Amino acid sequence: MTVDIESEYRPSGDEPFMNDRQREYFKNKLLAWKDEILKESAETLATLQEESQNHPDLADRASSETDRSIELRARDRQRKLISKIDAALERIADGSYGYCEETGEPIALRRLEARPIATLSIEAQEAHERREKVYRDD
């Protein structure tokens, strides 16, 4: 599904920011991440269907329900993550990927490498978190 462009390639500050090669690199990284999440979701669904059997022991049933609840919450977080990945793929398509939504400045390649769905530069993210903390403390 994804095209493997030079697997040893890593974006560098020595090249123009968000050039075709970098956009392709991040697109493939995002698509691979999405495929991995979807595969894990399918495996979880299969496991949950197998374990939907009745447990005669009350403790076993409670433990199974707790495990199921944790698994479903994890899948819900991953569903939200997939929508963020899709949004990042749309930004790649429209040319806005890699630029801070607040300042318009480029997001550091190291940040994008670590968190390819990032929409804010580190500085803007820190300012956002400080504002959140101030409002939470009120």
Side-chain angles (χ1 to χ4, degrees):
M1 187 164 170
T2 61
V3 178
D4 185 25
I5 60 161
E6 304 174 48
S7 58
E8 69 278 350
Y9 170 75
R10 288 287 179 262
S12 156
D14 298 336
E15 57 189 323
F17 187 72
M18 281 304 127
N19 61 51
D20 290 344
R21 195 172 184 197
Q22 287 182 357
R23 283 193 306 274
E24 189 69 19
Y25 171 81
F26 284 110
K27 178 181 176 183
N28 287 333
K29 186 176 183 81
L30 288 160
L31 288 170
W33 191 12
K34 183 178 176 177
D35 287 346
E36 181 182 323
I37 292 170
L38 291 172
K39 184 177 143 211
E40 288 174 6
S41 293
E43 290 170 2
T44 298
L45 186 58
T47 302
L48 289 175
Q49 287 173 343
E50 286 174 16
E51 291 194 4
S52 65
Q53 58 194 338
N54 279 336
H55 295 283
D57 183 43
L58 200 54
D60 287 346
R61 191 175 322 148
S63 177
S64 178
E65 285 300 316
T66 300
D67 291 348
R68 182 182 180 96
S69 175
I70 291 169
E71 225 17 87
L72 291 173
R73 276 191 305 234
R75 291 298 150 232
D76 187 51
R77 281 193 303 275
Q78 288 185 332
R79 179 185 55 77
K80 291 174 184 170
L81 183 56
I82 285 175
S83 72
K84 289 181 180 184
I85 291 170
D86 287 339
L89 290 167
E90 286 176 24
R91 289 192 307 278
I92 287 174
D94 72 19
S96 64
Y97 181 81
Y99 295 92
C100 179
E101 288 183 346
E102 284 189 11
T103 66
E105 294 294 314
I107 298 172
L109 289 172
R110 288 180 55 189
R111 176 161 169 73
L112 290 172
E113 187 72 46
R115 186 154 178 83
I117 58 172
T119 59
L120 300 173
S121 66
I122 290 176
E123 297 79 13
Q125 182 68 40
E126 288 172 348
H128 177 74
E129 288 172 3
R130 280 193 299 274
R131 284 190 305 269
E132 250 184 19
K133 185 178 184 323
V134 167
Y135 292 122
R136 262 197 316 248
D137 290 345
D138 287 348

